[in-house]
Amino acid sequence: MIFIMYHQINELLFKMILWEIEQVASSATVSTEKFSLHLNRISRYFDMLSSSFDIMKEGMEREQYLKFRNTLTPASGFQSAQYRKIEFASTELINLIDFRFRATIDRNTPFEHAYEHLYWQVAGKDYKTGKKSMLLSNFDKRYLEEFITFMKDYNTTNLWTKFKQLPIEDQQNNELVKAMRHYDYTVNING
Ligand code: HEM
């Protein structure tokens, strides 16, 4: 119960994060103050996610966890659709493409092809045959269409693109640069 409920708590926080990102993405013009305001809220939620992860380490007994974990297979937090949406809404698609295929993908590449080359696709494929695991094929079956629509929606309104649309002097604003770096660190290093 702890394991599942903690995933549910994380999904609630992911929803609050997506709500903050949407407010920046849907604003035609966004001031630096407003950008920093939402970014700091997003980072605070991610700080909660990383600081509370001890609930997983200390909140369950290892024996109990090992007894039930396989019964949930092939389900995994990996199949968090909101987590993937946070990635799509935070940066440009090319930055989420598996590095080995980046040179072959650009803004004219069909979204379906880009999707098949996202960095996390490799985690669910047999490296010899390329065959998708049940975990990944179930995930695709459930969310592929929704993800393609979401990728299109945030293609030019994601946080990174919105940041680059700010006046140069604003892009060098210390508070904003600090907030961007903190977000990057919280998700990619601390997360
Ligand atoms: C005891 C706690 C946990 C363990 C042992 C664990 C283990 C794992 C493992 C082994 C993976 C790699 C994919 C797989 O083989 O399933 C993974 C991926 C992932 N897990 Fe967890 N997980 C835990 C808790 C959580 C929680 C609470 C969340 C919140 C939703 C979460 C979200 C994710 C995400 C989003 C990925 C994909 C990461 C990426 O591809 O960038 N996990 N986890």
Side-chain angles (χ1 to χ4, degrees), residues 2-16 48-49 52 55 82:
I2 301 292
F3 186 70
I4 292 176
M5 285 178 74
Y6 183 67
H7 279 81
Q8 292 169 333
I9 292 166
N10 280 248
E11 290 297 332
L12 290 175
L13 286 163
F14 291 159
K15 192 172 179 66
M16 295 159 92
M48 258 179 93
L49 287 163
S52 66
I55 293 170
Q82 291 198 110

Side-chain angles (χ1 to χ4, degrees), residues 31-33 35-37 39-40 43 159-160 163-164 166-186:
S31 69
T32 303
E33 292 68 37
F35 202 112
S36 301
L37 172 91
L39 203 54
N40 288 327
S43 284
L159 285 179
W160 181 232
F163 174 81
K164 292 193 290 180
L166 293 172
I168 288 297
E169 60 278 9
D170 288 2
Q171 291 182 35
Q172 289 151 358
N173 170 291
N174 281 343
E175 279 313 303
L176 185 52
V177 170
K178 221 168 70 192
M180 290 290 274
R181 290 222 171 102
H182 181 77
Y183 182 41
D184 183 22
Y185 177 83
T186 307

Side-chain angles (χ1 to χ4, degrees), residues 78-96:
F78 181 94
Q79 297 166 319
S80 168
Q82 291 198 110
Y83 184 80
R84 300 303 172 196
K85 286 181 177 177
I86 291 170
E87 293 181 326
F88 295 137
S90 295
T91 190
E92 286 164 2
L93 199 50
I94 195 67
N95 297 328
L96 299 171

